[in-house]
């Protein structure tokens, strides 16, 4: 590590004080990249112990390259008209991600590489849409404004009076007539989470708007930036609706705040596509016994989907690369890697494992789900959500013995994988349906950028990718010193 001499720090400080363009500062520091951001290789990393030196082969820079390769697949499937693009389940984008994973499996010399296909139920896609806000003789259209995921089409073009209800509490709705109008709700995200206040189980404002007779519902998502998000309005919402970003929503708020007449013209076509298919891809690094360890990562995602789930795919491939270098005789168990099908449309791949657990999981010792593993902690600074240089702590899940739980948490601590203070009561995400069928582990983080156009590689810290993959590698090594009986959760006492 190079230390910055004090004299240089003074030069840097003096340059900043003088207000000179930071070009010169960059030239003098090895800690900032060309954009003036803290370099990824300057992030906090826990030094490896002598015993863990072997995990140095798992490298965050290499892992970030894998993330970029997967996000490139999304960019190749961009659609600027509907803005519904990425590695969308049932489309070429998801299929290309599967082909990319399959090619990696082949390069690594895996055996029993095969796909498992699923028929998808009728799938929702936005057709063409045209939504404008009209006020003071001007017409406004907004880049972040897209129909809500799985929302209904309009009957022709709606022409509606706009009404602002703040965050949409009962107090906001009190004495306000929203019947037949376009209701604008400002939804506050839980900082660090894609959960937001207008949804069910929180303020319930979307539901309230429909119950009060709204003709259309507009949800302004966030307290910063201008995210385009693919997000549903919630169960039972049948009126058409849309999401828009904070900055665009602010424009509507200002227009309504002037007291002038504000109207919304809204036409949304929806396509329902039948006959689409999704598939999981399997590859195996054979071990010395007939017992199995599964590593899952879901393939599909919205927009670039760097966190959700190029980050998990990168961990899966990196584990495969690492263990492919270990002689088969020293790999106690088969490592079965699965890029799973259609996560955002019902997870048929992992559901199949649950439905066929008596056979498919008969010899399973452990399942690891690699999903949303490494994202920068966010901070809000004015109307901007800022990135920090530390991976955000994750929710975590272990289904297994106390021994397994300790072993897993010790590995997280060893490599600096921060987690929440308490285990989740269920495994969120792709592994949800199958997690209780066998010893299973995961960490997962779902921040504000999830399902938005901002789920880009810049949000994914190399140091976090590396720490998680190293921790999972060590967990696999340690689990392979234990018999399956030592990993199983305690039997539930009957009647509880
Ligand atoms: Zn996901």
């Amino acid at each position: 590590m190079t230390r910055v001499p004090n004299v240089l720090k003074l030069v840097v400080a003096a340059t900043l004080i003088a207000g000179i363009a930071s070009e010169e500062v960059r030239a003098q520091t090895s800690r900032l990249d060309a954009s003036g951001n803290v370099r990824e290789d300057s992030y906090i990393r826990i030094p490896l112990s002598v015993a863990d030196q072997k995990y140095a082969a798992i490298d965050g820079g290499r892992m970030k390259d894998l993330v970029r390769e997967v996000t490139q697949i999304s960019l190749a499937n961009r659609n600027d008209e509907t803005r519904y693009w990425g590695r969308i389940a049932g489309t070429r984008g998801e299929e290309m991600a599967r082909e990319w994973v399959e090619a990696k499996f082949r390069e690594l010399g895996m055996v029993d590489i095969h796909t498992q296909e699923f028929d998808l139920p009728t799938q929702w896609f936005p057709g063409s849409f045209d939504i404008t806000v009209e006020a003071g003789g001007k017409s406004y259209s907004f880049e972040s404004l897209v129909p809500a995921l799985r929302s209904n089409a309009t009957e022709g073009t709606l022409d509606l009076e706009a009404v602002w209800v703040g965050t949409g509490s009962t107090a906001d709705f009190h004495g306000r007539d929203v019947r037949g109008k376009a209701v604008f709700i400002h939804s506050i995200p839980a900082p660090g989470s894609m959960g937001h206040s207008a949804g069910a189980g929180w303020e319930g404002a979307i539901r309230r708007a429909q119950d009060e007779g709204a003709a259309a519902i507009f949800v302004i998502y966030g307290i910063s930036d201008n995210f385009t998000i693919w997000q549903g309005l919630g169960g039972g919402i049948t009126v058409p609706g849309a999401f828009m970003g904070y900055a665009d929503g602010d424009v509507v708020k200002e227009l309504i705040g002037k007291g002038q007449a504000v109207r919304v013209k809204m036409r949304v076509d929806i396509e329902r596509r039948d006959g689409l298919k999704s598939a999981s891809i399997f590859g195996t690094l054979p071990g010395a016994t007939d017992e199995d360890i599964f590593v899952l990562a879901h393939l599909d995602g919205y927009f670039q989907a760097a966190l959700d789930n190029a980050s998990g795919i990168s961990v899966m491939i990196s584990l495969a690369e690492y263990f492919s270098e270990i002689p088969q005789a020293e790999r106690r168990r088969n490592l079965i890697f699965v890029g799973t099908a259609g996560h955002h449309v019902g997870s048929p791949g992992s559901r199949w494992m649950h439905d066929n657990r008596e056979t498919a999981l008969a010899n399973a010792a452990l399942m690891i789900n690699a999903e949303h593993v490494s994202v920068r902690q966010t901070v809000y600074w004015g109307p901007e959500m800022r990135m920090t240089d530390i991976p955000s702590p994750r929710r975590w899940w272990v289904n297994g013995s106390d021994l397994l739980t300790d072993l897993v948490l010790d590995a997280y601590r060893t490599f600096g994988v921060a987690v929440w203070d308490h285990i989740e009561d269920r495994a969120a995400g792709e592994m949800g349906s199958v997690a209780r069928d066998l010893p299973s582990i995961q960490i997962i983080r779902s921040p504000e950028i999830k399902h938005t156009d901002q789920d880009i590689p810049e949000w994914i810290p190399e140091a976090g990718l590396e720490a998680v993959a190293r921790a999972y590698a060590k967990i696999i090594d340690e689990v392979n010193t234990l018999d399956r009986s030592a990993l199983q959760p305690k039997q539930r006492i009957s009647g509880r």
Side-chain angles (χ1 to χ4, degrees):
M1 202 197 291
T2 45
R3 288 183 64 93
V4 180
N6 279 335
V7 62
L8 191 54
K9 284 183 190 162
L10 284 174
V11 170
V12 171
T15 311
L16 288 171
I17 289 163
I20 295 167
S22 50
E23 272 329 284
E24 289 161 54
V25 179
R26 279 175 225 152
Q28 292 158 356
T29 173
S30 59
R31 292 283 169 243
L32 298 178
D33 66 18
S35 309
N37 296 323
V38 177
R39 283 170 57 117
E40 290 237 26
D41 57 7
S42 295
Y43 285 20
I44 299 166
R45 280 174 162 85
I46 307 286
L48 292 173
S49 68
V50 173
D52 288 336
Q53 281 301 325
K54 56 187 172 179
Y55 301 115
I58 298 173
D59 173 71
R62 157 82 184 147
M63 295 186 71
K64 183 80 171 263
D65 287 342
L66 295 174
V67 168
R68 287 196 196 89
E69 283 185 41
V70 176
T71 58
Q72 282 298 324
I73 294 170
S74 286
L75 290 167
N77 288 276
R78 222 183 138 110
N79 180 335
D80 290 327
E81 194 200 336
T82 65
R83 308 209 70 199
Y84 193 64
W85 57 268
R87 305 185 297 280
I88 305 288
T91 72
R92 180 67 188 139
E94 184 193 40
E95 185 180 47
M96 284 172 69
R98 187 168 63 249
E99 289 167 358
W100 181 90
V101 168
E102 180 171 353
K104 294 282 181 216
F105 286 178
R106 294 201 185 281
E107 277 169 34
L108 294 171
M110 290 192 192
V111 301
D112 196 21
I113 297 171
H114 65 277
T115 55
Q116 183 184 37
E117 199 171 66
F118 300 94
D119 292 321
L120 294 180
T122 304
Q123 290 297 299
W124 180 98
F125 285 81
S128 75
F129 55 88
D130 187 17
I131 305 170
T132 55
V133 171
E134 326 254 305
K138 278 183 73 178
S139 177
Y140 300 82
S141 53
F142 299 105
E143 197 182 339
S144 70
L145 181 57
V146 292
L149 194 67
R150 291 184 278 278
S151 63
N152 286 324
T154 58
E155 286 184 35
T157 299
L158 305 178
D159 181 0
L160 307 169
E161 180 185 336
V163 58
W164 184 269
V165 296
T167 55
S169 68
T170 51
D172 289 310
F173 274 88
H174 185 72
R176 190 166 299 186
D177 178 17
V178 304
R179 190 159 295 278
K181 297 177 183 171
V183 176
F184 285 80
I185 303 166
H186 185 192
S187 198
I188 313 298
S193 161
M194 77 176 297
H196 62 107
S197 66
W202 197 331
E203 194 57 78
I206 296 170
R207 180 88 226 182
R208 184 168 298 118
Q210 173 165 294
D211 290 348
E212 300 273 327
I217 299 169
F218 290 81
V219 182
I220 293 146
Y221 172 77
I223 56 173
S224 73
D225 302 274
N226 203 34
F227 303 124
T228 303
I229 187 168
W230 290 108
Q231 168 90 290
L233 291 169
I237 305 299
T238 54
V239 297
F243 276 80
M244 64 197 300
Y246 171 76
D248 285 344
D250 217 37
V251 173
V252 177
K253 183 174 72 178
E254 291 299 315
L255 292 172
I256 293 174
K258 283 181 185 159
Q260 60 191 335
V262 178
R263 299 198 71 82
V264 175
K265 297 252 175 68
M266 178 179 194
R267 180 189 57 76
V268 175
D269 297 331
I270 300 298
E271 288 177 23
R272 312 227 176 235
R273 294 189 197 163
D274 290 310
L276 296 182
K277 294 181 188 301
S278 181
S280 297
I281 173 77
F282 288 73
T284 299
L285 286 176
T289 69
D290 65 356
E291 292 183 355
D292 305 319
I293 291 177
F294 288 85
V295 180
L296 314 186
H298 76 72
L299 300 170
D300 61 317
Y302 301 105
F303 297 109
Q304 292 194 48
L307 173 66
D308 179 14
N309 187 34
S311 68
I313 294 171
S314 173
V315 167
M316 177 174 75
I317 297 300
S318 298
L319 289 171
E321 288 178 348
Y322 177 78
F323 285 104
S324 71
E325 296 290 324
I326 312 276
Q328 180 178 346
E330 293 171 31
R331 298 190 302 241
R332 175 171 176 178
R333 297 183 170 106
N334 306 312
L335 282 166
I336 303 178
F337 298 90
V338 193
T340 57
H343 168 68
H344 294 92
V345 295
S347 296
S350 52
R351 277 181 201 284
W352 181 91
M353 291 185 189
H354 169 71
D355 293 342
N356 294 277
R357 57 195 177 279
E358 304 292 345
T359 48
L361 305 178
N363 296 323
L366 181 70
M367 179 176 283
I368 299 175
N369 179 39
E371 186 168 354
H372 319 178
V373 293
S374 168
V375 66
R376 297 166 193 265
Q377 180 66 36
T378 59
V379 285
Y380 286 94
W381 192 249
E384 195 186 349
M385 194 173 76
R386 295 273 295 269
M387 299 177 178
T388 63
D389 73 352
I390 195 104
S392 184
R394 301 88 169 163
R395 291 179 285 155
W396 61 279
W397 162 268
V398 174
N399 183 50
S401 61
D402 292 346
L403 185 63
L404 178 64
T405 304
D406 279 351
L407 175 166
V408 166
L409 291 176
D410 279 349
Y412 294 161
R413 185 180 60 174
T414 297
F415 297 101
V417 176
V419 293
W420 291 15
D421 64 346
H422 200 277
I423 190 172
E424 296 301 287
D425 57 6
R426 65 183 187 89
E430 176 63 17
M431 201 168 64
S433 63
V434 67
R436 290 183 193 276
D437 296 335
L438 73 172
S440 65
I441 67 167
Q442 72 174 8
I443 52 168
I444 187 167
R445 186 73 170 124
S446 300
E448 296 95 324
I449 57 156
K450 189 179 145 178
H451 297 188
T452 80
D453 58 346
Q454 287 304 302
D455 187 357
I456 55 177
E458 285 75 1
W459 274 104
I460 314 304
E462 292 174 9
L465 290 170
E466 179 182 285
V468 171
R470 289 176 178 178
Y472 283 165
K474 188 178 173 80
I475 289 166
I476 290 170
D477 281 339
E478 296 199 340
V479 159
N480 274 342
T481 68
L482 299 168
D483 290 336
R484 287 172 68 195
S485 57
L487 302 167
Q488 295 289 338
K490 286 194 197 103
Q491 289 290 323
R492 281 168 195 272
I493 299 162
S494 60
R496 284 179 75 187

